[in-house]
Amino acid sequence: QFRLFYNLLQEWNERMNLTALTDPEKIITHHFLDSASCAISPVFSEIREVLDLGTGAGFPGIPLRILFPGKGWTLMDSLNKRIRFLEQVVEALHLTPLRLVHARAKHRGKGPFVTLNCGAISPELFGAELFGHVAGAFTGALREGKPGKLKLTL
């Protein structure tokens, strides 16, 4: 599945800018392995629902979905071209159930999600104080090894 995802990424990246990385080794280390590193945390095994907010080309959501198919996955991005690419990835890799949402972060519904890619959220969207809380919540919980589901309600 990783090889097929890599091939699709390379193919689609020739037509539209999905990622600035084109070197195969850097794609593996900076996208695939970085994505998988989220699972190192002790709290990751307790998480049931994950929202990859601002997923872009599907990182870290797609690699983590490949590795952990038993979790609930939602990948959200504001650009429809990326969602179209991810629809092809989900179909080719048989990654259902996996929810793809074309929306801006401020339009996402409330829910008991662990949110990945919080760095993609701008301070202007939620205000500087809340932004600092949201952006640090996931990484802080991972660092502290808190058990259970981390809920971020934006």
Side-chain angles (χ1 to χ4, degrees):
Q1 286 180 309
F2 278 102
R3 175 152 323 267
L4 183 52
F5 181 34
Y6 170 83
N7 290 340
L8 287 167
L9 181 66
Q10 291 288 73
E11 176 188 328
W12 279 68
N13 205 41
E14 290 177 9
R15 290 184 269 159
M16 67 177 78
N17 184 23
L18 292 169
T19 176
L21 297 178
T22 56
D23 177 64
E25 188 174 305
K26 287 190 178 187
I27 289 173
I28 291 168
T29 59
H30 288 72
H31 284 320
F32 291 163
L33 293 177
D34 278 357
S35 296
S37 71
C38 293
I40 293 172
S41 166
V43 75
F44 193 81
S45 65
E46 303 297 321
I47 297 168
R48 291 193 173 100
E49 296 290 328
V50 183
L51 170 65
D52 182 357
L53 184 60
T55 189
F59 298 103
I62 296 293
L64 287 170
R65 166 53 183 84
I66 292 169
L67 295 170
F68 302 96
K71 297 184 185 302
W73 295 96
T74 302
L75 280 61
M76 179 184 284
D77 201 87
S78 63
L79 293 181
N80 198 42
K81 71 176 186 175
R82 294 179 188 145
I83 297 298
R84 285 195 316 270
F85 162 69
L86 292 170
E87 287 170 345
Q88 295 300 309
V89 170
V90 168
E91 183 179 324
L93 276 62
H94 308 288
L95 296 179
T96 56
L98 181 145
R99 214 174 115 204
L100 298 171
V101 178
H102 173 228
R104 300 188 62 79
K106 65 183 176 183
H107 296 129
R108 88 160 178 87
K110 308 277 187 231
F113 294 107
V114 167
T115 305
L116 302 175
N117 278 359
C118 287
I121 304 170
S122 70
E124 295 78 28
L125 185 60
F126 298 110
E129 185 178 320
L130 181 57
F131 170 75
H133 171 72
V134 171
F138 182 70
T139 54
L142 292 180
R143 218 176 306 111
E144 296 168 21
K146 292 180 183 173
K149 191 187 297 183
L150 175 65
K151 296 182 182 181
L152 295 179
T153 308
L154 306 179

